Amino acid sequence: MLKTLKLGFACTFLLVACKETNKEQAYNTVEQVEVQKPNIIYIMADDLTTQAISAYGGIYSDLAPTPNIDRIAKEGMLFQDVLCTNAICGPSRAAILTGNYSNLNGYYKNESGGKFDETQWTFPQEFQKNGYQTSLFGKWHLGSEPQGFDVFKYHNSAGQQGHYWNPVYNINGKDTKVKGYSTNLSTDFAMDWLQNERKQDDPFLMVLQFKAPHRPWQPDKKYEQLWENIEMPYPSTFNDNYKGRELTAGNTEMTMEYFSRRDMKFEEPANLKGKEKIKWAFYGAKPGEVVQPEGLNAEEGRKWRYQTYIKDYLACVKSVDDNIGRVLKYLDENNLTDNTIIVLTSDQGFYLGDHGFFDKRFIYEESIRMPFMVRYPKVVKAESVNDDIITNIDFAPTLLDLANIDTDQKMQGESFKSILEGQTPKDWEQAMYYHYYEFPYWHHVQPHYGIRTQKYTLAHFYYNIDVWELYDLEKDPNQMNNVINDPQYAIVLSQLKSKLKELMKESGNDKSLADFRKITDTDFGSIVDKKDDETSVQDVLTGKSD
């Protein structure tokens, strides 16, 4: 009997001990799940636009599909209304890094915009401080040395625009010319870091920023003739006559008439150097310098330039998509897909012949609307689509929030983590304040500010004109009809102006027009200290170098 009791007590003790052990193991497992930090891969392609991504649909989606980019959208969330606060390369990058508008981060424009102030806080520094391995590969284009990265390899030629072929990279402080095609090379650097250089068990933030598909749109050799015998479709607004917008959209240097010889792939004469080389290559960038083959009339020449442009642009995108596929394949093969946040975006939108334009800058839809998608299987429901207004100053707080990193740093942007989780906050701001400052170089787009809501766009062009424009995006999604003087919109106009004033005040930028013009006129310096064969382009075109 005693032996039986002892055995019973022993079994009970073992059972309790096993339960406690299992409970402790369960707690440890939960704790491990809770503290596991996600990896983040932030991919940005320069001047990539929604019209060129088949996940967004459009006229090129069947002819030039982007299956790897589309996969991110299919396995995550596709955003329809992510907007840029200042639609040009450097200022957008500064806004993304800091979570703040141009007037706070100090980076207003590309041309004569100086260098980004590297002493200020940026979100990669916060990741680095919180134990993340951090790396940057590809385009930087901010002048100052990147902060918050353990490793960086960025384009450091042509005023940091970089070259497509055999580019110079700043590799952790040392300029090195690397043989090959830039889109492939930047990804090679990224893949090598992922596979061989990082600590395999520690979380990482990798920033991969392609030069492509930025001007001058030079495809990889294997894609140069991809659509040689196909006539690409034309956007519905290709023949826009700018009626009612003569002083704004109708007075630019970014129409089909402003492509250069270099853009159009004319063969450069041998032995040209320095100023003469630039004069030859950039012929076409000034009024009256129309580039086209002999024997074509004006309309034929215009279509020929568009066809050359769009085929080269989309071929550059093809290489971007290929290389994104390499990154996704690596994550799959190394069991990293579920715990890695993938972001795919651009620095703003871009015109692909829409309204007869190339480039960006305007508050109009094609330029301010950024492609944006996020895949994070643990949080984001696959094949979800979001229509809320989100801006590029919201990226930094969101990435930190997704990584559960608390920061005391104040940002104007707001985290949209809850939106990624499928819940839009009731008080989420469905309007954006926009401001573009650069003039006249490049492309002669009037400085302007405005407001974009889900239904309307209101803009004030102010530098040497005083023009307001109002568009009803539901009735006129292509923004062809300026209804600023339509009495039916009088109440809407008053409400939008009031809201615009409120947003400008909130952003700390409710200044006078004279103050805004001063920003446009101020020379904040060059993005680079040294001169190379590209930094003097403006001087050559304006005759300052003669």
Side-chain angles (χ1 to χ4, degrees):
M1 180 69 175
L2 183 60
K3 188 175 182 180
T4 305
L5 286 172
K6 283 182 177 179
L7 183 61
F9 280 128
C11 290
T12 303
F13 175 78
L14 285 172
L15 184 61
V16 172
C18 287
K19 285 183 177 178
E20 291 302 318
T21 301
N22 290 337
K23 191 183 293 183
E24 185 177 347
Q25 289 175 344
Y27 284 142
N28 289 339
T29 302
V30 170
E31 188 176 347
Q32 286 173 3
V33 170
E34 288 178 348
V35 300
Q36 186 181 25
K37 296 180 178 179
N39 305 308
I40 297 174
I41 298 180
Y42 176 89
I43 303 173
M44 187 157 72
D46 197 328
D47 289 345
L48 181 64
T49 188
T50 57
Q51 305 98 287
I53 298 174
S54 46
Y56 283 98
I59 62 175
Y60 312 110
S61 58
D62 291 333
L63 289 167
T66 51
N68 295 299
I69 294 174
D70 293 359
R71 181 186 165 192
I72 299 173
K74 186 175 182 180
E75 297 176 1
M77 182 175 284
L78 178 72
F79 289 81
Q80 296 283 6
D81 227 358
V82 171
L83 307 175
C84 185
T85 53
N86 183 357
I88 189 170
C89 179
S92 179
R93 292 165 190 265
I96 290 166
L97 286 167
T98 62
N100 290 325
Y101 271 95
S102 300
N103 58 289
L104 280 197
N105 67 52
Y107 209 71
Y108 292 97
K109 50 191 182 176
N110 272 1
E111 195 67 43
S112 301
K115 300 177 182 179
F116 175 71
D117 177 8
E118 79 276 16
T119 65
Q120 63 186 310
W121 178 95
T122 57
F123 79 81
Q125 297 175 53
E126 200 73 33
F127 276 93
Q128 190 181 54
K129 189 172 73 175
N130 281 271
Y132 270 73
Q133 304 170 88
T134 57
S135 60
L136 164 69
F137 306 106
K139 187 169 180 179
W140 178 242
H141 199 237
L142 288 168
S144 53
E145 186 170 289
Q147 302 297 310
F149 296 102
D150 305 327
V151 174
F152 57 77
K153 300 179 181 182
Y154 65 86
H155 285 288
N156 203 29
S157 59
Q160 290 197 352
Q161 289 285 1
H163 289 94
Y164 274 98
W165 288 100
N166 306 326
V168 173
Y169 284 89
N170 182 313
I171 299 179
N172 301 319
K174 182 180 179 181
D175 281 357
T176 305
K177 190 169 186 176
V178 186
K179 188 176 181 179
Y181 185 64
S182 65
T183 307
N184 302 332
L185 291 172
S186 294
T187 312
D188 289 345
F189 292 146
M191 297 300 293
D192 186 56
W193 184 78
L194 287 171
Q195 293 168 342
N196 304 315
E197 296 182 20
R198 69 181 178 91
K199 296 177 182 177
Q200 297 297 309
D201 295 328
D202 291 348
F204 63 83
L205 164 70
M206 187 179 82
V207 177
L208 176 57
Q209 301 188 148
F210 297 109
K211 170 187 172 59
H214 191 279
R215 193 179 190 181
W217 315 294
Q218 294 175 350
D220 196 347
K221 295 294 183 185
K222 63 183 178 181
Y223 292 140
E224 284 182 342
Q225 307 299 323
L226 195 56
W227 297 287
E228 184 179 7
N229 299 316
I230 295 174
E231 183 177 27
M232 286 293 187
Y234 297 86
S236 62
T237 59
F238 184 69
N239 293 314
D240 191 346
N241 63 7
Y242 314 117
K243 183 179 179 181
R245 297 156 288 138
E246 291 83 359
L247 297 177
T248 55
N251 187 22
T252 74
E253 295 175 3
M254 50 190 264
T255 62
M256 298 294 104
E257 287 67 47
Y258 286 90
F259 289 119
S260 70
R261 286 172 174 152
R262 187 181 71 165
D263 297 332
M264 295 291 100
K265 312 303 182 291
F266 275 48
E267 186 176 352
E268 183 180 298
N271 303 319
L272 288 179
K273 293 182 180 179
K275 184 168 62 176
E276 293 307 312
K277 183 182 179 76
I278 292 173
K279 278 186 175 180
W280 186 92
F282 282 86
Y283 181 88
K286 293 197 294 187
E289 300 179 342
V290 179
V291 174
Q292 65 186 48
E294 293 183 9
L296 300 184
N297 62 34
E299 183 60 22
E300 290 169 341
R302 184 168 180 264
K303 288 184 174 181
W304 174 84
R305 287 187 295 276
Y306 165 77
Q307 291 294 330
T308 302
Y309 160 56
I310 195 62
K311 290 175 183 179
D312 286 346
Y313 177 98
L314 292 174
C316 290
V317 173
K318 173 65 174 167
S319 290
V320 170
D321 188 73
D322 288 350
N323 280 280
I324 289 173
R326 294 172 63 192
V327 175
L328 297 179
K329 182 180 179 182
Y330 172 81
L331 296 178
D332 291 342
E333 292 178 347
N334 290 273
N335 199 29
L336 291 170
T337 298
D338 286 347
N339 195 47
T340 300
I341 300 165
I342 290 268
V343 177
L344 183 282
T345 189
S346 178
D347 40 358
Q348 74 282 306
F350 208 72
Y351 292 99
L352 301 185
D354 316 273
H355 300 282
F357 291 150
F358 65 98
D359 210 67
K360 53 265 185 178
R361 303 169 195 268
F362 277 112
I363 194 174
Y364 307 143
E365 288 299 284
E366 293 85 356
S367 52
I368 66 165
R369 189 165 164 249
M370 306 168 73
F372 196 84
M373 55 191 72
V374 178
R375 187 187 76 177
Y376 184 21
K378 290 183 177 181
V379 172
V380 180
K381 182 181 177 182
E383 298 188 78
S384 50
V385 178
N386 180 265
D387 296 312
D388 295 306
I389 288 183
I390 289 164
T391 75
N392 57 343
I393 62 172
D394 297 326
F395 296 1
T398 303
L399 292 174
L400 291 167
D401 198 5
L402 286 168
N404 297 310
I405 294 176
D406 293 325
T407 178
D408 295 328
Q409 178 66 32
K410 292 183 178 179
M411 290 172 274
Q412 292 177 314
E414 298 285 345
S415 170
F416 54 91
K417 179 181 178 181
S418 62
I419 291 176
L420 287 164
E421 294 171 334
Q423 296 294 326
T424 301
K426 291 181 179 180
D427 60 350
W428 187 258
E429 182 64 79
Q430 298 291 359
M432 179 195 73
Y433 162 54
Y434 179 84
H435 206 137
Y436 171 79
Y437 302 87
E438 190 172 304
F439 187 79
Y441 281 92
W442 284 80
H443 300 298
H444 199 269
V445 172
Q446 275 283 334
H448 56 288
Y449 61 87
I451 181 173
R452 162 64 154 75
T453 70
Q454 290 181 316
K455 289 186 65 174
Y456 300 102
T457 297
L458 174 69
H460 183 208
F461 298 81
Y462 62 80
Y463 182 74
N464 56 17
I465 60 176
D466 182 14
V467 173
W468 285 85
E469 293 181 356
L470 173 62
Y471 298 97
D472 185 329
L473 300 178
E474 291 185 348
K475 294 181 179 179
D476 179 29
N478 290 326
Q479 297 173 302
M480 301 285 283
N481 184 24
N482 178 15
V483 294
I484 193 70
N485 295 317
D486 188 333
Q488 295 182 62
Y489 290 90
I491 295 175
V492 169
L493 178 60
S494 177
Q495 292 171 339
L496 287 172
K497 284 187 173 182
S498 178
K499 182 64 177 178
L500 173 58
K501 188 174 182 179
E502 175 190 321
L503 292 177
M504 293 176 76
K505 188 173 183 179
E506 286 179 5
S507 72
N509 207 29
D510 53 338
K511 299 183 178 74
S512 68
L513 293 181
D515 288 332
F516 293 148
R517 293 185 185 109
K518 186 176 180 180
I519 292 168
T520 298
D521 293 337
T522 298
D523 184 350
F524 294 97
S526 174
I527 192 171
V528 291
D529 293 327
K530 63 179 182 179
K531 288 286 183 180
D532 60 28
D533 63 347
E534 293 283 347
T535 54
S536 60
V537 170
Q538 184 183 337
D539 288 346
V540 170
L541 294 181
T542 57
K544 291 180 182 179
S545 63
D546 295 334

